[in-house]
Amino acid sequence: MIRRSLLRGLSAALAALPLVVAGGARAEERVVNIYNWSDYIDPKVLEDFSKETGIKVVYDTYDNNEVLETKLLAGKSGYDVVVPSGPFLQRLIKAGVFLPLDKTKIPNLKNVWPEIANRLQAYDPGNTFAVDYMWGTTGLGMNVAAVRERLGANTPLNSWSLVLNPSTMAKLKDCGVMLLDSPEDLIPSILPFYGYKVDSKRWDDITTVTDALYKVRGAVRKFHSSEYINGLANGDLCLAVGYSGDVLQAKKRAEESKNGVEIAYFIPKEGTQMWFDTFAIPKDAAHPAEAYAFIDYMMRPEVAAANTNFVSYANGNLPSQKLVKPEILKDSGIYPDEATMQRLSTNTAWNDTTQRFVTRSWTRVRTGR
């Protein structure tokens, strides 16, 4: 899964933060090596962590879970904290690559949001190996005026039917449609439209979704999991299936540019996938003490809020909500109300056989062959 590629170009600012030296003499260097999604943190948080603790932060980024998974399965990744998403976390736990968390070393776990921690147990029973960092949904991002112009004022905008109805997609083709290039996100998210569970592993259910996507692929400008952010923001696209925070970043960029493009994010009424990005410590981490210090720092309410305010994603820290910007906290696309939360579901990892089946089916959707 390519995931949440926000505000590109900032990554260089995150690397190699300065070491704090006490008393004018150079102390033995403490360091924590972090591997996280691209542009998925407030850089000032890392700077403040380093200043307060004296721990140097070496910060690398990636754009999809497969890259992270490959490094961790190969062993000796060199990282102390990584941020896998739900199904990949589940697979990597089974592969034995993570250190069981010593929760006495993370006192700020008292701040976890019970609702999110409970849902995360679908991948990590007992919350043994991971702590939620951010979470969100997969849904519909759109240029409201452009869509209304083509579909009329009475067409519901919060339904997967916008994407799955060939006649509707034909009307939207000229203004630009982009879908995620991520079957792990797209297929489970659409399953509820057909009355199936997000976590269905039945090949017939999966085929229903991929067949429907195959029928509308001619109206899709591109399958990509980050380009839709700028495409929506600058008016080149009118509809995208994407991640909640990415679409809201597009909305923010459009507002800042004052280009007259109104972007909105909708969680489909039929239901969709809820995803999680989590902090975990590789079993062979060279600096576990520093890893614990970093995770504990990130679980401070003011720190979690700072990151949410920067990236426009909901976090798994309940007390932080008092410090989140009101326009973010009140945005139902980021923090859904209780009724919407009940329509959100988690999906666990496919087994190897089903994964191969999905890969073949997805290749057919993308290529038309």
Side-chain angles (χ1 to χ4, degrees):
M1 288 181 290
I2 301 174
R3 184 70 100 196
R4 298 163 289 286
S5 307
L6 307 178
L7 304 176
R8 297 202 173 275
L10 290 177
S11 298
L14 302 178
L17 294 174
L19 175 69
V20 174
V21 180
R26 184 175 181 85
E28 182 178 350
E29 183 177 72
R30 298 182 68 196
V31 63
V32 60
N33 298 294
I34 300 166
Y35 203 31
N36 195 1
W37 295 95
S38 297
D39 305 308
Y40 200 29
I41 196 169
D42 183 347
K44 191 174 185 303
V45 164
L46 299 181
E47 181 182 349
D48 290 346
F49 169 77
S50 190
K51 286 179 179 178
E52 178 177 321
T53 65
I55 298 172
K56 176 182 177 181
V57 177
V58 178
Y59 194 95
D60 293 337
T61 63
Y62 55 91
D63 282 324
N64 63 78
N65 272 296
E66 287 82 359
V67 171
L68 172 63
E69 185 176 44
T70 299
K71 285 182 178 289
L72 291 175
L73 290 177
K76 299 181 180 179
S77 68
Y79 294 107
D80 303 306
V81 179
V82 295
V83 191
S85 303
F88 286 83
L89 171 69
Q90 181 185 19
R91 287 213 298 257
L92 290 165
I93 287 173
K94 290 181 179 178
V97 303
F98 292 130
L99 190 71
L101 295 176
D102 181 347
K103 297 179 181 180
T104 65
K105 297 179 179 178
I106 315 175
N108 281 316
L109 282 180
K110 65 185 180 183
N111 297 319
V112 298
W113 187 351
E115 169 81 10
I116 302 305
N118 288 339
R119 291 185 182 236
L120 186 58
Q121 291 192 70
Y123 312 105
D124 178 21
N127 302 116
T128 303
F129 294 91
V131 179
D132 182 71
Y133 173 46
M134 297 286 174
W135 63 272
T137 56
T138 303
L140 305 167
M142 67 189 73
N143 179 328
V144 176
V147 171
R148 286 288 187 211
E149 179 183 350
R150 288 157 179 81
L151 302 184
N154 297 322
T155 300
L157 301 183
N158 63 337
S159 173
W160 285 119
S161 62
L162 267 66
V163 175
L164 300 172
N165 186 318
S167 63
T168 299
M169 286 284 277
K171 294 176 183 178
L172 297 174
K173 180 179 179 179
D174 73 294
C175 62
V177 178
M178 192 174 289
L179 304 186
L180 290 171
D181 185 13
S182 176
E184 293 87 354
D185 288 321
L186 200 56
I187 293 172
S189 296
I190 292 174
L191 282 167
F193 179 80
Y194 297 100
Y196 306 139
K197 294 181 179 180
V198 163
D199 199 32
S200 174
K201 302 297 189 290
R202 294 182 69 248
W203 288 19
D204 286 349
D205 297 354
I206 294 169
T207 299
T208 297
V209 174
T210 55
D211 281 353
L213 292 172
Y214 182 83
K215 291 175 182 177
V216 301
R217 65 174 304 280
V220 178
R221 182 176 297 177
K222 193 172 187 179
F223 293 90
H224 201 278
S225 295
S226 62
E227 288 184 9
Y228 66 89
I229 304 173
N230 282 334
L232 286 171
N234 61 28
D236 286 343
L237 298 175
C238 64
L239 176 65
V241 174
Y243 308 113
S244 50
D246 279 2
V247 174
L248 293 161
Q249 281 292 325
K251 177 181 179 180
K252 181 179 179 181
R253 292 182 192 182
E255 291 171 348
E256 290 174 346
S257 67
K258 299 180 181 179
N259 60 6
V261 175
E262 177 194 351
I263 302 300
Y265 176 75
F266 296 92
I267 296 174
K269 62 183 180 180
E270 298 88 1
T272 190
Q273 176 200 48
M274 185 180 187
W275 52 259
F276 306 86
D277 289 333
T278 63
F279 291 126
I281 302 175
K283 187 167 55 178
D284 59 359
H287 310 98
E290 289 73 14
Y292 279 116
F294 179 78
I295 294 173
D296 189 56
Y297 185 85
M298 295 292 280
M299 288 302 295
R300 293 182 184 180
E302 65 274 18
V303 172
N307 285 323
T308 285
N309 291 336
F310 187 82
V311 303
S312 296
Y313 279 101
N315 66 63
N317 187 307
L318 186 58
S320 76
Q321 293 180 22
K322 297 178 181 178
L323 304 170
V324 170
K325 293 178 180 177
E327 61 267 28
I328 292 178
L329 188 63
K330 294 178 181 178
D331 191 319
S332 61
I334 306 175
Y335 284 92
D337 58 32
E338 183 58 34
T340 304
M341 287 287 283
Q342 296 309 310
R343 301 201 307 271
L344 305 179
S345 304
T346 54
N347 64 300
T348 53
W350 291 312
N351 62 32
D352 291 342
T353 303
T354 301
Q355 181 68 62
R356 288 191 291 270
F357 172 75
V358 169
T359 299
R360 290 195 301 270
S361 300
W362 186 245
T363 299
R364 174 174 173 264
V365 171
R366 288 189 79 255
T367 65
R369 298 190 296 272

